[in-house]
Amino acid sequence: MKFSILIAHYNNGKFFKNCFDSLMAQTYQNWEAVILDDASTDDSVEIIQKLIKDDNRFRLFFNEENSGVGVTKSKLIDLAEGDLCGFVDPDDAIAPNALQSAVQVYLKEKNTVLTYSKFAKCDENLNVLSVPKLAMQVPNGDPYFFNCPVHIVHFVTFKKDVYLQTSKIDATLKIAEDQDLYLKMYEKGDVRFIDEVHYFYRTHSGGISQNSNLPKSRAYFAEVIFQAMKRRNLKLINGKKIPAEFSSPNEIFDLLNYQTSIPFRVKKKLKVLSQKLLRK
């Protein structure tokens, strides 16, 4: 299985060395790294070119104009030549066994279409600050699963051939394009949690998903969830009617409040356990 590491890049040259080093340290060797620069305005491209010039596993492409993360990530998947894909931000890094662990799951469990793992929250120098506990195995085959609360997080990998069976990433999204991808893949097969830290997420002032963008992220995520509800032909959520048109994020998230309740969480854990036992 060839693995395509997909990097949507914009003005992150000063952090790219850590990302590059983590790719070079992978225990799984059958990979390529596809980088698409979204019209950077600093010296990032020169920095990247110097690092990758002696390794033909790296392929560097350019957007003619700044197009945003939705367009860039959509193009990256189209450019990928691998059987498996996974996004890595240029200011982050992955563990040496990240690719190997994912490939092993796909080889063992043929119905798996997406894997994900734990991630470490790091400071600007990529020193680990904490490992959030939100990542965990979710029930498969549930039309009412919307990754809210969020459990599918970095490091996410997915099968390209299955992705091509979906309506693909909504390229108009500026944020939450990853959630759009996860929900569309979830509808095509099983997702598997790998209980290891595979991703090192750097927090810094220039990060696209940092605190200043949280309100926008919430709004885009709500719209992604609404589109999933429509795609699945759902009419009711927990006895409440789904609106005919999207009007506000709160209206969508209010429909899902029951999924944070203790009884629901207990039922979810039991379902996950049952599915795990059936796989053995």
Side-chain angles (χ1 to χ4, degrees):
M1 283 184 158
K2 185 174 183 178
F3 200 111
S4 293
I5 302 156
L6 309 180
I7 303 173
H9 178 268
Y10 178 73
N11 285 359
N12 268 306
K14 67 177 181 178
F15 294 126
F16 184 71
K17 180 65 162 58
N18 293 127
C19 180
F20 173 82
D21 287 344
S22 75
L23 303 187
M24 298 301 290
Q26 290 303 301
T27 58
Y28 189 76
Q29 293 297 306
N30 188 14
W31 58 265
E32 65 168 359
V34 187
I35 306 168
L36 180 54
D37 181 75
D38 194 21
S40 289
T41 58
D42 61 6
D43 61 348
S44 291
V45 171
E46 290 80 2
I47 292 172
I48 291 173
Q49 287 175 326
K50 286 179 181 178
L51 285 169
I52 69 174
K53 63 183 176 66
D54 295 324
D55 195 327
N56 59 14
R57 291 177 297 180
F58 289 86
R59 296 192 290 136
L60 177 60
F61 300 88
F62 305 91
N63 285 336
E64 292 185 3
E65 59 183 14
N66 187 261
S67 304
V69 69
V71 169
T72 302
K73 287 191 172 182
S74 179
K75 285 183 178 180
L76 276 166
I77 302 175
D78 291 339
L79 289 167
E81 296 179 350
D83 307 291
L84 306 174
C85 297
F87 286 102
V88 179
D89 288 341
D91 49 349
D92 298 334
I94 55 176
N97 65 326
L99 304 188
Q100 183 74 54
S101 294
V103 169
Q104 287 174 346
V105 172
Y106 289 112
L107 292 175
K108 182 179 179 182
E109 301 182 25
K110 302 302 182 182
N111 291 332
T112 297
V113 300
L114 179 148
T115 72
Y116 58 105
S117 67
K118 292 179 178 178
F119 75 98
K121 188 175 181 180
C122 304
D123 64 16
E124 188 162 330
N125 297 314
L126 221 60
N127 297 310
V128 175
L129 299 173
S130 64
V131 177
K133 296 181 180 180
L134 49 86
M136 62 183 70
Q137 178 64 50
V138 300
N140 280 298
D142 182 356
Y144 300 98
F145 171 79
F146 300 102
N147 202 31
C148 182
V150 173
H151 295 314
I152 299 178
V153 293
H154 304 302
F155 173 53
V156 173
T157 78
F158 58 96
K159 288 180 176 177
K160 181 174 178 177
D161 63 342
V162 176
Y163 167 81
L164 293 175
Q165 299 170 25
T166 73
S167 57
K168 301 184 178 181
I169 285 180
D170 182 349
T172 66
L173 293 171
K174 303 297 183 183
I175 307 174
E177 79 295 332
D178 51 354
Q179 299 296 334
D180 184 53
L181 170 65
Y182 305 163
L183 293 182
K184 287 173 178 174
M185 292 298 297
Y186 180 89
E187 293 158 10
K188 295 298 182 180
D190 291 346
V191 302
R192 278 298 161 255
F193 170 57
I194 300 173
D195 193 8
E196 301 171 359
V197 174
H198 283 172
Y199 199 90
F200 299 93
Y201 173 75
R202 189 194 310 260
T203 56
H204 63 96
S205 59
I208 191 171
S209 58
Q210 311 296 336
N211 290 337
S212 62
N213 279 314
L214 288 180
K216 289 182 181 179
S217 179
R218 177 179 169 83
Y220 277 109
F221 189 15
E223 203 160 352
V224 164
I225 292 171
F226 176 74
Q227 292 302 325
M229 291 175 176
K230 293 299 181 182
R231 201 166 52 243
R232 299 172 190 179
N233 296 314
L234 302 177
K235 306 301 180 184
L236 299 172
I237 297 288
N238 197 35
K240 295 181 180 180
K241 190 175 180 180
I242 298 171
E245 302 291 338
F246 179 82
S247 59
S248 76
N250 288 342
E251 189 174 23
I252 301 304
F253 288 121
D254 286 348
L255 290 172
L256 302 179
N257 281 340
Y258 76 99
Q259 295 195 2
T260 63
S261 69
I262 292 177
F264 179 85
R265 288 158 60 187
V266 170
K267 289 180 182 178
K268 182 171 68 175
K269 286 185 177 181
L270 290 174
K271 187 172 183 179
V272 168
L273 179 60
S274 174
Q275 291 181 345
K276 183 178 180 179
L277 292 172
L278 287 173
R279 293 202 316 270
K280 291 183 177 180

